[in-house]
């Protein structure tokens, strides 16, 4: 019953910026953390960033210093601000949330495409 709605993807030139959004009822107020993943064509899905219930954030080395994860609890929304985008950032970006007493159930959004190209 967890429905994640993602938006914000699109076409951007190298060096540009995009902000992705992921919204679901009770999304950011849940005790479990939220994650962003990405999957480029022909490649395995890659973990990008995570924000925990206490606000702690973490990032993959490939995006550290360029991407920022944040949340707005009132809007049940998690954001991924992406700056200094590179062609290698091109991928389908999806958000993930866990549910259950021990965060044992995983739910994925439909994904939003990010294309970085001249």
């Amino acid at each position: 019953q967890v429905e994640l709605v993602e938006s914000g993807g699109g076409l951007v030139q190298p060096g540009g910026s995009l902000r992705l959004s992921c919204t679901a009822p009770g999304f950011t107020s849940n005790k479990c953390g939220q994650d962003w993943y990405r999957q480029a064509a022909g490649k395995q899905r890659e973990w990008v960033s995570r924000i925990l219930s206490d606000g702690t954030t973490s990032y993959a080395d490939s995006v550290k210093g360029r991407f920022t994860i944040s949340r707005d609890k009132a809007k049940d929304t998690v954001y991924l601000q992406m700056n200094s985008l590179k062609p290698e950032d091109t991928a389908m970006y999806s958000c993930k949330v866990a549910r259950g007493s021990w965060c044992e159930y995983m739910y994925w959004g439909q994904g939003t495409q990010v294309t970085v190209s001249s």
Side-chain angles (χ1 to χ4, degrees):
Q1 292 183 327
V2 178
E3 299 178 3
L4 286 69
V5 180
E6 297 158 298
S7 63
L11 175 64
V12 64
Q13 294 185 341
S17 299
L18 287 173
R19 189 181 73 165
L20 307 183
S21 301
C22 182
T23 302
F27 189 46
T28 60
S29 62
N30 190 267
K31 296 178 64 175
C32 307
Q34 294 83 41
D35 296 84
W36 284 98
Y37 286 79
R38 67 185 183 186
Q39 186 170 24
K43 296 186 177 180
Q44 188 174 357
R45 184 157 54 194
E46 173 190 21
W47 173 80
V48 175
S49 184
R50 173 176 296 162
I51 185 166
L52 302 180
S53 59
D54 65 357
T56 303
T57 60
S58 57
Y59 302 90
D61 289 341
S62 58
V63 306
K64 187 177 181 180
R66 300 187 298 118
F67 291 12
T68 303
I69 188 171
S70 62
R71 65 189 176 195
D72 186 333
K73 293 184 177 181
K75 297 180 179 180
D76 279 329
T77 300
V78 173
Y79 303 97
L80 185 67
Q81 178 67 45
M82 306 184 295
N83 298 326
S84 302
L85 284 164
K86 305 174 181 179
E88 50 263 45
D89 295 319
T90 296
M92 180 71 73
Y93 286 73
S94 59
C95 57
K96 185 191 79 174
V97 65
R99 291 287 188 271
S101 298
W102 299 275
C103 304
E104 67 268 35
Y105 306 111
M106 304 296 179
Y107 299 89
W108 294 86
Q110 78 286 352
T112 183
Q113 179 67 38
V114 172
T115 302
V116 185
S117 177
S118 298

